[in-house]
Amino acid sequence: MSVDASRPRLPGAVLFACNFNRVRSPMAEALLKRAVGDRIYVDSCGLRRAAEDEAGEGADPFVQAVMAEISVDLARHEPKTFEDLNDSSFDLVISLTPQAQHRAVEMTRGRAAEIEYWPTFDPTLAEGSREARLAAYREVRDMLARKIAERFAP
């Protein structure tokens, strides 16, 4: 079996980070878990808690809807921050927002961890009908799925 030297090796632990851990990072976490199973430890977090977290709402309802379309259940997702992580020894941290990128750099300073920045549109900014808003969430979901397939393909 030959190994493609141009493809990065699979990390043992991956963290996806965004601002609130309610939209982009939970989608990415679930998509990578679906793609690799338990071959890689995968987690996600945000910079801070959203007001909705206090009400126990978990993942954004539109996220739950578009992920359910591909048979991924995020109903039990509980948003967390960098401070809530059980472990911070990730081989790879993928930031989905500029703010999370800055925090990832701080977190990994002095460690042998890779950092990647995947600029990702915030679908909560989409306006219009329910269907138009769902379309924006689907675009983000599908873009993340493509990036994950490219980055983590065997």
Side-chain angles (χ1 to χ4, degrees), residues 81-152:
T81 65
F82 278 90
E83 291 74 26
D84 296 330
L85 295 171
N86 291 327
D87 189 354
S88 62
S89 55
F90 293 92
D91 302 312
L92 175 61
V93 179
I94 299 174
S95 307
L96 306 174
T97 67
Q99 301 87 342
Q101 175 71 359
H102 292 294
R103 182 65 175 84
V105 169
E106 290 172 19
M107 179 181 117
T108 59
R109 189 168 284 129
R111 295 185 185 164
E114 292 180 64
I115 302 172
E116 293 181 14
Y117 175 48
W118 297 0
T120 306
F121 173 73
D122 181 356
T124 66
L125 301 176
E127 296 179 355
S129 68
R130 182 177 196 282
E131 193 52 45
R133 294 177 68 199
L134 282 168
Y137 279 75
R138 287 183 192 109
E139 283 182 41
V140 169
R141 177 199 65 200
D142 296 346
M143 183 278 296
L144 289 169
R146 281 190 303 275
K147 295 273 295 179
I148 286 167
E150 291 166 10
R151 173 62 173 84
F152 298 98

Side-chain angles (χ1 to χ4, degrees), residues 29-87:
E29 174 187 358
L31 290 165
L32 182 56
K33 283 179 175 176
R34 188 173 82 160
V36 301
D38 61 3
R39 291 179 298 167
I40 298 174
Y41 175 78
V42 185
D43 205 353
S44 67
C45 71
L47 296 172
R48 59 195 170 279
R49 295 198 184 290
E52 294 86 351
D53 295 346
E54 303 308 318
E57 292 186 23
D60 179 290
F62 285 111
V63 168
Q64 292 183 43
V66 300
M67 294 303 284
E69 292 173 354
I70 60 168
S71 302
V72 175
D73 182 6
L74 284 179
R76 292 193 177 125
H77 174 75
E78 293 184 27
K80 59 185 161 290
T81 65
F82 278 90
E83 291 74 26
D84 296 330
L85 295 171
N86 291 327
D87 189 354

